[in-house]
Structures are given as structure tokens and as C-alpha cells.
Amino acid sequence: MFSRIAVRNQFLGRLKSTLVIAEHNNEALNPVTQNTITAAKKIGGDITVLVAGTKCGPASEAASKLQGVTKVLVAENEAFKGFTAESLTPLILAAQNQFKFTHILAGCTAFGKSVLPRVAAKLDVSPISDIIDVKSEDTFVRPVYAGNAILTLKSKDPVKVITVRGTNFEATKVDGGAAVEQAPAGDFKSDLTVFVSQELTKSDRPELTSAKAIVSGGRGLKSGDNFKLLYDLADKLNAAVGASRAAVDAGYVPNDLQIGQTGKIVAPELYIAVGISGAIQHLAGMKDSKTIVAINKDPEAPIFQVADIGLVADLFKAVPELTQKI
């Protein structure tokens, strides 16, 4: 009996297979793809990476070198310009129909949160969003109530469609050599959505979600012009600059700098919160940072409850002094 159970479990283990939807700009992979592959490795079984785009050869080659990847499926088509969910979903479904994956994963980014719910709806399964740990092939951990509670859930769906919080998984190493194959062919053009253009913010500073240090500002800065104090400090630290929702809503900075439950989730080595009170929605996006430094003139500000180092001071005096001393 025990030997039969062991053989059965071993057989089921071999059947596990995961499709990771790569996020990229055709030239390079978004770092969250490496974190997502680490989550896939915890699930077990073969890992296939789907790279879809236009002239995405460099991205597919980079994916093939990631540790743990068994195979890379590459799809080049003008329909994938702009990486819209409406064009990518039929491709993912075609790959699913051919290879019968047990899990489909993507990073919990704007891209992943756009594509995978549509895929889940087409497969008639419940999407599992923003996981922070993998307990087994059908049991996952995710935050709820803005991170105030942690939920462990067991999915009975035949295909698990999952978005992964990249900051909770180490990036997989680059020492693999997976085979690159063509993804299922088809006409993936969609009339539902047409990609027109995009304008990307250009900056010499590190990208927010992958930066090792972040200087973030809130409503306490009082104006967008005063964010120059943070830019000067960030340049000294080679850090990215972020903001609370209050600062974004007030028009101080663009929304691509927003950190929090409705913004970007970050977990840098160093997070400096300047003039940020520490609303629960903001804490949900940065409380996993390794070292948190808070500068606020209000000693009762909630941010001090999660800060490793707290400075009760006027930010307009403290920040320039800190910048000068670095």
C-alpha cells in the first residue's frame, strides 16, 4: 500500500508543470520574472517561460539562461505590440491547450494584473493574486486587508492562475540553458483594444521596484518643488524616489512614483520615508523593507511604529543636513 502511494505521489509530481508569463520590453526581462520563476520552483515540476512580443529575441535568450527553466516558448507578432491582455490571452490559452500546464504565473505588476484575470476567466477558474509564499502545489499564502492579515488558501481548481509578489521571492540565478521553441501559432490580433503609444519616464535613477534604496516623500513636503530635497538626497545614495498616495493625489509627483496598496510594492535594503504619516495603505507597499528610516515632525505619526530608525524633526532642516553629511 505504502509503495503504491509513493509511486502515485511521484507520478503526480512529474505531472506538475508551470507556465511563467515573462514581462519584458523585447530587449530585456523585467526583474520580477526572475522572482516569479523562484515561486514556480517552489511549486515544483517543469517550468516553461512564455516570451511574447515584437523582435523579442534578446528577451527570450535571457529567459533561456535562467536557472530552473525547462523550456522557453517565443512568439513574435505585431499583435503583441503594447503587450495588451486582449492579444496575449489567446496565445496563453493556445499554449495551455497544447501543453496542459497545472499552474500559470506572472508577476503581480500592472502587466500581470491585466493579463492573468482575463486568462482565469477564460479558463473558468478563480485567480489567486499577490501570493507571498508557496506551501505546496495547491496551497498559497497571500496578504489581505492591506497586509493586516495573512491568508493561507487551498485551491481546488484544475489550473492555478497566480500573480506573484516579487519582493517576497529571491531572484533566480542566471546559469541555465533551456531550449527555445516557437509558441503555438495563430491570429492573435484583437479588435477590442488597439495599442496607440506609450510615454516612458526617463530617469538616471534606479527603477523603483528593483532599487536597493528608496527615498519617499509624502504630503509633508507641501509642494512638488520641495521634492527636489529628496532628489538631491537620492542622488547621493544612488536611490530611487517614491511617494505616498497623498503626495500623488495632491499633484506633487506623477503616479508612477506611488508606493502602497494601490501603487507599487517595494522591499529595498533602505527605505527613507520623509514627511509620510504612515497610512495603512502606504505601509502595505513598503513595510517589508529591510531598514526603514522615518523623518516626521509629528512624534505620534504611525510611520514610527514600523520604522527601525525614527527622527522627529522638521524635514526641511533635517533632509538638507543629511544630504550634506553623506
Side-chain angles (χ1 to χ4, degrees):
M1 176 61 72
F2 289 108
S3 61
R4 288 182 179 179
I5 293 175
V7 170
R8 178 177 178 272
N9 289 340
Q10 185 178 8
F11 176 71
L12 290 175
R14 288 201 302 269
L15 288 179
K16 286 184 294 186
S17 60
T18 299
L19 177 66
V20 173
I21 314 302
E23 185 170 345
H24 61 92
N25 62 0
N26 289 314
E27 296 295 328
L29 294 174
N30 186 312
V32 75
T33 301
Q34 290 181 250
N35 306 106
T36 305
I37 289 172
T38 298
K41 287 160 68 175
K42 292 195 71 172
I43 293 172
D46 292 339
I47 300 173
T48 299
V49 177
L50 175 62
V51 181
T54 56
K55 299 180 181 178
C56 56
S60 60
E61 183 179 351
S64 70
K65 295 178 181 178
L66 298 179
Q67 185 185 80
V69 175
T70 308
K71 178 170 55 181
V72 174
L73 298 176
V74 59
E76 293 197 4
N77 193 312
E78 283 300 313
F80 303 134
K81 187 176 182 180
F83 310 107
T84 63
E86 289 79 4
S87 61
L88 289 171
T89 298
L91 172 65
I92 296 169
L93 295 177
Q96 175 63 20
N97 289 336
Q98 180 174 337
F99 297 101
K100 309 299 182 186
F101 298 105
T102 56
H103 299 74
I104 301 176
L105 273 61
C108 191
T109 60
F111 170 79
K113 289 186 283 188
S114 171
V115 175
L116 287 201
R118 190 177 186 89
V119 172
K122 291 290 187 179
L123 293 174
D124 194 26
V125 300
S126 298
I128 304 168
S129 61
D130 200 21
I131 68 165
I132 60 174
D133 196 10
V134 176
K135 293 296 185 183
S136 68
E137 63 185 275
D138 62 359
T139 306
F140 310 94
V141 180
R142 62 182 297 268
V144 292
Y145 303 118
N148 280 306
I150 302 299
L151 171 70
T152 300
L153 66 89
K154 184 172 184 178
S155 172
K156 295 184 178 181
D157 284 324
V159 182
K160 281 72 172 172
V161 179
I162 303 167
T163 58
V164 176
R165 182 178 291 195
T167 55
N168 284 80
F169 296 89
E170 294 291 331
T172 192
K173 296 180 180 178
V174 183
D175 64 357
V180 178
E181 301 178 7
Q182 291 297 313
D187 180 14
F188 303 113
K189 185 177 179 180
S190 172
D191 295 328
L192 298 173
T193 301
V194 177
F195 174 76
V196 178
S197 65
Q198 66 178 359
E199 294 182 13
L200 299 177
T201 303
K202 295 182 180 180
S203 175
D204 294 331
R205 298 186 183 90
E207 204 278 325
L208 196 57
T209 54
S210 60
K212 293 185 177 180
I214 295 175
V215 181
S216 192
R219 197 196 301 271
L221 280 153
K222 299 182 179 179
S223 75
D225 292 339
N226 289 332
F227 261 76
K228 186 180 185 304
L229 297 174
L230 304 194
Y231 296 140
D232 292 341
L233 177 57
D235 289 341
K236 285 287 189 77
L237 296 170
N238 190 30
V241 174
S244 68
R245 178 170 180 171
V248 171
D249 287 348
Y252 299 168
V253 291
N255 60 9
D256 60 329
L257 298 188
Q258 184 175 322
I259 294 171
Q261 184 181 13
T262 54
K264 295 178 179 177
I265 307 295
V266 299
E269 297 290 329
L270 173 64
Y271 188 90
I272 303 178
V274 181
I276 294 175
S277 62
I280 189 172
Q281 293 87 352
H282 185 75
L283 298 183
M286 46 66 71
K287 67 180 182 180
D288 290 329
S289 303
K290 305 302 182 291
T291 301
I292 299 173
V293 178
I295 301 175
N296 199 301
K297 66 180 181 181
D298 179 9
E300 302 299 323
I303 190 71
F304 289 121
Q305 296 178 13
V306 299
D308 299 289
I309 301 172
L311 176 61
V312 179
D314 182 347
L315 70 88
F316 296 104
K317 295 179 180 179
V319 174
E321 185 176 352
L322 177 60
T323 303
Q324 185 179 8
K325 290 183 179 294
I326 293 177

